[in-house]
Amino acid sequence: MSFFDFHLKGRTNKEITPSQYISRLEDGEAIVLIDCRTVQEHQIKRIPESVVLPVQMFDQVDEWFPDRYQTYVIYCEHGVRSSKAVEIMVEKGYSNVYDLGGIVAWPGETESDLF
């Protein structure tokens, strides 16, 4: 393993900014938005149209999302769990997976089950 491989491991995930994500949606791209936080966090605050699959369950991601060619965008609270989730999906052979980072940086509307 080279110096660069060692220091960049886990940092090779494809990232997508909120504006890039929104632009792709506006262009009509079919994207599955996955919230990899807990169910409780998802109920408190989430990006509209997102589905929840906690990162702890990503070893079973292929059962929930069998299409490895679909475009998936993953987010969490601050970007740590989403990075890990993207890494797991890439290791499982998914080709169009993007890390949106954390909901804390989301500029758009959010939903909640608390109101």
Side-chain angles (χ1 to χ4, degrees):
M1 179 182 296
S2 76
F3 172 82
F4 292 106
D5 290 336
F6 177 78
H7 289 286
L8 294 177
K9 184 166 176 52
R11 297 176 188 257
T12 58
N13 293 339
K14 295 185 277 185
E15 296 179 356
I16 189 169
T17 65
S19 60
Q20 290 169 326
Y21 167 71
I22 292 166
S23 177
R24 289 173 79 164
L25 283 179
E26 289 172 346
D27 288 344
E29 185 173 347
I31 299 174
V32 176
L33 180 61
I34 303 174
D35 181 347
C36 69
R37 300 175 301 152
T38 66
V39 171
Q40 293 80 13
E41 288 173 299
H42 184 77
Q43 290 172 333
I44 292 168
K45 182 179 180 180
R46 66 183 169 272
I47 298 172
E49 306 299 320
S50 63
V51 295
V52 64
L53 181 64
V55 71
Q56 298 86 347
M57 296 180 65
F58 264 69
D59 58 330
Q60 304 166 10
V61 70
D62 44 357
E63 295 173 25
W64 289 80
F65 304 103
D67 185 352
R68 285 178 165 72
Y69 300 101
Q70 169 69 47
T71 301
Y72 299 96
V73 172
I74 318 294
Y75 76 93
C76 62
E77 189 71 24
H78 295 281
V80 176
R81 289 177 280 182
S82 59
S83 178
K84 180 63 178 169
V86 168
E87 184 178 312
I88 291 168
M89 289 184 80
V90 168
E91 287 173 0
K92 287 183 166 277
Y94 290 81
S95 57
N96 298 312
V97 184
Y98 298 89
D99 186 352
L100 185 63
I103 194 170
V104 296
W106 178 249
E109 294 182 23
T110 59
E111 298 175 335
S112 174
D113 291 339
L114 298 180
F115 310 158

